[in-house]
Amino acid sequence: MAETATKKERVAKEGSHPLVAIDDGYAQTKLYGQGPDGKIVKRVLRSSVRIGSHGLGSFAGDGAIGLWQTEEGNRYTVSDEIEAEDPRFTDFHLSPINRVLVNHALSTAGFGGVQVDIVTGLPVKEFFKDQRKDEERIQRKRENLQRGAFSRSAGVEAPVLADIQVGCQAIAAYVDWALDDELKTRNDTGKTIAIVDIGGRTTDVAVVVGGRSIDHGRSGTADVGVLDVYKGVLDRVKARFELDDDSLPLSLMNEAVRTGSMQLFGRPNDVAEIVSDVVGQVQERALREIQRRLGRAATLQAVVFVGGGSALFKDIASAYPNGVMAEDPEFANARGLYKYFASRRRG
């Protein structure tokens, strides 16, 4: 408690709260921004949560691990070691599950008990409505995060969300492409650029014209992403190893997709062929959706690929002669959200 109090006092003396951007995706929750000590913090957690208390306790016997309770009274367990809820539902970004994941991510990054300003995002199709910002949905996301989420784990505190802003995820990635870490222009913003953000559930396309406007005719969101890979691999692995009644935690699925190996029955099992086949199929689906909006993209300066799916589909950018893989694509949205709102703070 003394450490938490010190953090609170430090923030108060500075006269402003740390600013943290949160890319709260369906598969991963990424944080990028100022830590309580003023240094840049960068963290990624898998969005693995399930309603209820699932009995994960510490060896010390001092209570549950990863247990949260919302203002509505429901309890949720956040852990890679459980079979996660499927987050692919329409109002995920407005849900208690989303709120719990945001609070858990901030808490594990050192913001427990600390006042913090946050900026989160919405996919293109949720951020805009009839070519205008969907102010109602943006406000609903703010209100959802403003409602309480409380840790029920010993020694863990929830953060104090002082200010909540909401941006557009793919456009945030454009800001990351346009500005360097010093918030100075690093790429030509006078051209027309397409940002392709392949996330957990969705693939977002945002065509930015001259750094000032969005071409809604070629922008939008398709329901295909990394979680389709996880689902495909899960189905094939269960069939191969006859695991119909066994649940597989997200950590195990992530291991399989990242390494091509899965620890089952106490030993590693080669599933690289399954993973390669499923990744290829989902990548092809994502590319079809991108091509429906961009065609061959001949008139664009660049097609910039970002998001966890772009990192997984390593050769997808090569489908376009002007395709570019962003540096550290998984963090492009979070970095861009941070850069945009940090630049506004500077005036």
Side-chain angles (χ1 to χ4, degrees):
M1 292 299 292
E3 182 184 355
T4 300
T6 301
K7 289 178 183 176
K8 289 181 178 178
E9 289 167 5
R10 180 165 56 243
V11 170
K13 287 177 182 178
E14 289 174 353
S16 64
H17 308 127
L19 175 65
V20 177
I22 305 172
D23 181 9
D24 46 341
Y26 299 93
Q28 294 179 326
T29 304
K30 277 90 64 178
L31 275 68
Y32 186 91
Q34 297 168 288
D37 58 1
K39 297 179 180 179
I40 290 294
V41 61
K42 175 182 173 183
R43 183 177 290 262
V44 58
L45 296 92
R46 286 183 282 275
S47 299
S48 181
V49 60
R50 194 164 191 85
I51 191 166
S53 176
H54 288 269
L56 296 176
S58 69
F59 277 178
D62 53 5
I65 295 175
L67 184 61
W68 290 81
Q69 183 171 321
T70 63
E71 186 179 272
E72 298 88 335
N74 293 323
R75 293 192 173 194
Y76 297 83
T77 302
V78 184
S79 173
D80 288 351
E81 302 307 321
I82 60 173
E83 184 181 19
E85 297 268 358
D86 189 340
R88 293 174 295 179
F89 55 91
T90 302
D91 283 338
F92 166 78
H93 287 286
L94 312 178
S95 68
I97 282 179
N98 176 271
R99 190 190 326 151
V100 165
L101 287 168
V102 167
N103 278 272
H104 179 78
L106 284 165
S107 180
T108 59
F111 293 95
V114 176
Q115 293 189 70
V116 57
D117 294 340
I118 68 167
V119 52
T120 65
L122 285 170
V124 170
K125 73 175 182 181
E126 295 185 44
F127 190 82
F128 292 104
K129 182 178 182 180
D130 298 328
Q131 301 185 13
R132 296 178 179 272
K133 287 202 300 184
D134 190 342
E135 298 288 1
E136 179 183 355
R137 194 165 191 84
I138 291 168
Q139 182 59 25
R140 287 176 64 194
K141 174 150 191 177
R142 285 198 194 99
E143 290 172 352
N144 177 60
L145 291 172
Q146 285 167 348
R147 302 185 72 177
F150 314 99
S151 173
R152 294 302 183 198
S153 299
V156 178
E157 288 187 85
V160 180
L161 306 186
D163 184 56
I164 301 167
Q165 299 292 332
V166 180
C168 179
Q169 291 171 347
I171 293 178
Y174 172 80
V175 174
D176 181 57
W177 177 85
L179 301 180
D180 64 18
D181 290 341
E182 301 302 319
L183 307 183
K184 296 178 181 178
T185 302
R186 64 177 176 180
N187 283 303
D188 186 354
T189 58
K191 306 294 185 180
T192 301
I193 306 294
I195 300 293
V196 179
D197 176 15
I198 306 176
R201 175 189 177 187
T202 60
T203 293
D204 264 5
V205 177
V207 177
V208 181
V209 182
R212 292 187 174 184
S213 57
I214 180 169
D215 182 348
H216 287 282
R218 290 190 286 178
S219 302
T221 304
D223 289 331
V224 55
V226 174
L227 291 176
D228 292 292
V229 174
Y230 282 22
K231 178 64 166 57
V233 171
L234 176 64
D235 290 344
R236 297 270 292 272
V237 166
K238 281 190 172 184
R240 176 176 166 183
F241 294 99
E242 300 179 354
L243 301 176
D244 292 345
D245 298 328
D246 285 58
S247 62
L248 299 179
L250 191 57
S251 59
L252 203 58
M253 293 306 305
N254 185 70
E255 174 192 344
V257 171
R258 298 290 180 181
T259 69
S261 179
M262 178 179 280
Q263 192 80 12
L264 293 170
F265 307 110
R267 62 179 184 274
N269 293 270
D270 186 354
V271 293
E273 186 175 345
I274 290 175
V275 171
S276 177
D277 188 39
V278 173
V279 167
Q281 291 178 21
V282 178
Q283 176 176 308
E284 186 177 341
R285 281 178 54 201
L287 189 56
R288 283 199 302 269
E289 294 294 341
I290 297 163
Q291 290 170 336
R292 285 191 181 101
R293 298 192 177 278
L294 301 182
R296 296 185 64 188
T299 61
L300 301 179
Q301 177 71 14
V303 181
V304 183
F305 287 83
V306 303
S310 294
L312 181 61
F313 307 144
K314 293 180 173 56
D315 61 346
I316 195 167
S318 65
Y320 289 95
N322 47 353
V324 178
M325 184 68 70
E327 182 182 350
D328 197 6
E330 289 180 287
F331 276 88
N333 280 331
R335 279 196 313 267
L337 288 168
Y338 174 77
K339 289 175 182 180
Y340 178 73
F341 283 91
S343 65
R344 287 180 58 177
R345 276 189 170 189
R346 289 187 183 181

